[in-house]
């Protein structure tokens, strides 16, 4: 008589928030795979504490001590989108019972040795912090570039100093413009759920800007350090792809995305380097990230091309994916967020207007979803009957979109 391949599940035990029983734990180590037989033989000391019951399920903290090393719960112990169950099968009756378990990731409790570097020790004695050392290093690099660097780097820092804003002067101007304002004159509007959801998909913006180009600014998207890394990476990239033909070859080899290659062709003809090159690299990185397949996504930021700066690749993976480092996923909401950033970057690079065809050549977006995401960014989607194309235009008067609105199906 052949055995039945069907699984007969008679009971499923879920982990409730008010449960007093300790659930089974699936232990993983952050630095290596767990060896169950070795753990049994070593007879470790295990301590489990209940941290909180605020969530739908209780939150536990674990400490595990072996003869060699001690371990504690890592910050990556939770997976938001997965639940784990242990199947217990009775061979006599063939019935199976499922018991929910918690996935626990442990990291070793280690203390790094004290530094013996004389430079770091001298800085510590002088009371310098990491921020002070970074500022000093930035100033040193600036002086070296001004004296011995190329004209591109010198022009970059010169333009940066021209655009610098005096904080005290700005405060005085604000006081003069505002005048005397009482607290009663200030009305606080409680944002709706749809507004907060839309705000989470786009970067910060200045809705009171007098020009469309000032609505989204570089500092809204990239830090100063990330801009410097992108400028340095662009100068190296320009040495390899210095002609339109070479850029087309990079697009053909999938090292550069079509929309990134389009804007790179415009940048290589310029003598000076400005922040637009950082926006182009950020755009190219985002488009490549959106098109990643699951097995490439599991490799982390190392799967992205080498010509992109590491700080930018880390930023994209941290802001547009979720899950454990080796189990990263892109949720539909995060994908919409990435596409909104792509639209905003293309508008910033191309003078507050861009063609829809340029975007759809690099990323796949349904027309209905494209209209929604363009409205969320505040831009307007318009059709050009003469050319037969659609264009995205960012104006001073921002567009609005109601996320709670659901259009009726056509009969």
């Amino acid at each position: 008589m052949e055995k039945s391949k069907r699984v007969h599940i008679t009971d499923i035990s879920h982990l409730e928030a008010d449960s007093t029983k300790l659930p089974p734990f699936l232990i993983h180590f952050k630095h290596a795979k767990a060896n169950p037989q070795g753990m049994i033989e070593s007879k470790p000391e295990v301590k489990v504490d209940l941290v909180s019951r605020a969530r739908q399920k209780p939150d536990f903290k674990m400490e595990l001590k072996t003869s060699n090393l001690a371990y504690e719960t890592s910050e990556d112990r939770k997976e938001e989108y997965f639940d784990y169950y242990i199947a217990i099968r009775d061979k006599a009756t063939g019935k199976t019972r499922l018991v929910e378990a918690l996935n626990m990731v442990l990291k070793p409790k280690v203390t790094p040795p004290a530094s013996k570097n004389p430079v770091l020790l001298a800085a510590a004695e002088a009371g310098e912090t990491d921020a002070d050392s970074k500022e000093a290093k930035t100033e040193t690099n600036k002086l070296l570039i001004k004296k011995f660097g190329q004209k591109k780097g010198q022009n970059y820092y010169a333009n940066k100093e021209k655009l610098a804003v005096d904080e005290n002067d700005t405060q005085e101007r604000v006081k003069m413009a505002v005048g005397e304002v009482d607290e009663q004159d200030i009305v606080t509007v409680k944002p709706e759920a749809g507004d907060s959801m839309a705000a989470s998909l786009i970067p910060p913006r200045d809705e009171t800007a007098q020009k469309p180009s000032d609505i989204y600014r570089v500092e809204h998207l990239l830090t100063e350090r990330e801009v410097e890394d992108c400028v340095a990476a662009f100068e190296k990239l320009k040495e390899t792809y210095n002609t339109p033909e070479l850029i087309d070859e990079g697009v053909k080899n999938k090292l550069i995305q079509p929309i990134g290659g389009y804007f790179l062709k415009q940048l290589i003809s310029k003598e000076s380097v400005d922040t637009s090159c950082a926006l182009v690299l950020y755009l190219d990185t985002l488009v490549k990230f959106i098109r990643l397949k699951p097995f490439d996504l599991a490799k982390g930021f190392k799967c992205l091309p080498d010509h992109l700066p590491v700080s930018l690749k880390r930023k994209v993976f941290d802001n547009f994916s979720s899950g454990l480092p080796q189990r990263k996923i892109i949720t539909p909401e995060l994908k919409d967020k990435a596409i909104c950033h792509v639209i905003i970057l293309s508008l910033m690079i191309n003078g507050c207007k861009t063609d829809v065809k340029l975007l759809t050549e690099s990323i796949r977006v349904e027309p209905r979803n494209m209209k929604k995401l363009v409205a969320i960014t505040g831009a307007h989607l318009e059709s050009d009957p003469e050319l037969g194309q659609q264009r995205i235009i960012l104006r001073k008067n921002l567009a609005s979109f109601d996320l709670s609105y659901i259009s009726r199906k056509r009969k």
Side-chain angles (χ1 to χ4, degrees):
M1 181 178 180
E2 295 184 358
K3 293 183 179 180
S4 176
K5 295 183 179 179
R6 295 183 179 179
V7 178
H8 185 201
I9 299 175
T10 58
D11 182 37
I12 301 177
S13 299
H14 298 284
L15 185 60
E16 303 294 340
D18 55 350
S19 177
T20 58
K21 295 182 180 180
L22 195 65
F25 293 95
L26 300 176
I27 297 177
H28 304 274
F29 292 98
K30 199 169 183 179
H31 64 290
K33 291 184 178 180
N35 184 359
Q37 187 63 31
M39 292 181 63
I40 295 174
E41 294 176 356
S42 63
K43 297 180 180 180
E45 298 180 9
V46 181
K47 181 182 178 183
V48 180
D49 294 328
L50 178 63
V51 179
S52 172
R53 294 182 183 271
R55 302 180 182 180
Q56 296 180 354
K57 299 178 182 180
D59 196 4
F60 294 95
K61 180 180 179 182
M62 178 182 290
E63 292 185 3
L64 188 145
K65 294 182 180 180
T66 64
S67 58
N68 299 324
L69 199 60
Y71 301 87
E72 63 181 355
T73 306
S74 173
E75 294 79 7
D76 299 329
R77 64 184 183 278
K78 290 288 183 183
E79 287 196 27
E80 186 178 355
Y81 302 99
F82 297 95
D83 291 328
Y84 293 87
Y85 291 87
I86 294 177
I88 303 174
R89 183 174 180 270
D90 189 347
K91 294 183 178 180
T93 61
K95 297 180 180 180
T96 302
R97 183 164 59 94
L98 298 181
V99 180
E100 186 173 359
L102 287 181
N103 186 46
M104 190 70 70
V105 181
L106 303 180
K107 64 179 181 180
K109 295 175 65 175
V110 293
T111 303
S115 176
K116 296 182 180 180
N117 191 322
V119 177
L120 297 178
L121 294 176
E125 292 177 359
E128 295 181 2
T129 61
D130 293 339
D132 296 333
S133 60
K134 288 181 180 179
E135 290 179 1
K137 187 177 180 181
T138 304
E139 290 296 327
T140 304
N141 292 338
K142 187 189 298 184
L143 292 174
L144 289 173
I145 290 175
K146 284 185 176 180
K147 290 185 178 181
F148 309 104
Q150 297 180 356
K151 289 185 178 180
K152 298 176 183 178
Q154 295 175 1
N155 293 336
Y156 168 75
Y157 283 109
N159 293 333
K160 189 176 178 182
E161 291 176 357
K162 290 179 181 179
L163 297 174
V165 179
D166 187 2
E167 183 178 355
N168 296 328
D169 182 50
T170 304
Q171 292 179 357
E172 291 296 329
R173 291 186 180 184
V174 171
K175 290 179 181 179
M176 292 176 62
V178 174
E180 296 182 359
V181 179
D182 297 331
E183 293 183 0
Q184 298 177 356
D185 299 332
I186 302 174
V187 180
T188 303
V189 180
K190 185 177 180 181
E192 299 180 357
D195 297 337
S196 60
M197 187 180 297
S200 65
L201 301 179
I202 59 175
R205 65 186 181 186
D206 184 4
E207 297 185 359
T208 61
Q210 298 298 320
K211 298 179 181 179
S213 57
D214 294 335
I215 296 175
Y216 294 102
R217 296 192 292 272
V218 178
E219 56 267 25
H220 293 158
L221 293 154
L222 297 170
T223 63
E224 190 174 331
R225 178 63 182 276
E226 290 167 350
V227 172
E228 293 177 359
D229 293 344
C230 289
V231 171
F234 174 74
E235 291 181 351
K236 292 183 180 178
L237 181 66
K238 193 175 179 181
E239 295 176 0
T240 306
Y241 301 97
N242 51 15
T243 62
E245 291 76 14
L246 292 175
I247 293 176
D248 290 336
E249 185 177 350
V251 173
K252 186 178 179 181
N253 296 331
K254 297 184 179 181
L255 296 175
I256 303 174
Q257 303 309 305
I259 190 171
Y262 174 82
F263 290 121
L264 282 175
K265 291 178 183 179
Q266 299 177 5
L267 291 179
I268 59 173
S269 59
K270 296 182 180 180
E271 295 182 359
S272 60
V273 178
D274 54 11
T275 54
S276 59
C277 67
L279 297 176
V280 172
L281 288 183
Y282 191 15
L283 172 65
D284 191 70
T285 307
L286 264 180
V287 173
K288 178 66 176 177
F289 174 78
I290 294 172
R291 301 177 66 176
L292 287 178
K293 296 181 180 179
F295 64 89
D296 289 326
L297 196 65
K299 298 177 183 177
F301 66 89
K302 294 181 181 178
C303 66
L304 296 174
D306 295 334
H307 65 266
L308 300 172
V310 176
S311 59
L312 192 61
K313 293 190 282 188
R314 287 183 183 274
K315 180 187 185 73
V316 169
F317 266 82
D318 292 342
N319 294 343
F320 300 97
S321 65
S322 62
L324 292 174
Q326 295 181 350
R327 295 182 181 179
K328 289 287 186 181
I329 60 172
I330 304 176
T331 62
E333 182 179 351
L334 290 174
K335 185 176 181 181
D336 288 345
K337 179 181 177 181
I339 295 174
C340 286
H341 279 65
V342 168
I343 295 171
I344 292 168
L345 286 167
S346 60
L347 290 170
M348 294 174 65
I349 298 167
N350 207 35
C352 299
K353 57 184 177 181
T354 186
D355 293 333
V356 175
K357 183 180 179 182
L358 190 62
L359 294 172
T360 54
E361 285 179 352
S362 299
I363 54 177
R364 293 182 179 179
V365 189
E366 295 181 0
R368 185 179 178 184
N369 198 31
M370 173 67 78
K371 186 177 181 180
K372 177 189 73 172
L373 297 177
V374 169
I376 289 175
T377 62
H380 301 266
L381 186 63
E382 298 181 357
S383 300
D384 190 347
E386 295 181 359
L387 300 177
Q389 295 180 357
Q390 287 185 318
R391 305 187 72 185
I392 303 173
I393 301 176
L394 182 64
R395 293 193 176 91
K396 181 181 175 181
N397 298 326
L398 297 175
S400 60
F401 182 77
D402 186 6
L403 290 175
S404 61
Y405 173 76
I406 302 175
S407 60
R408 298 179 179 177
K409 294 183 179 180
R410 294 181 179 179
K411 294 182 179 179

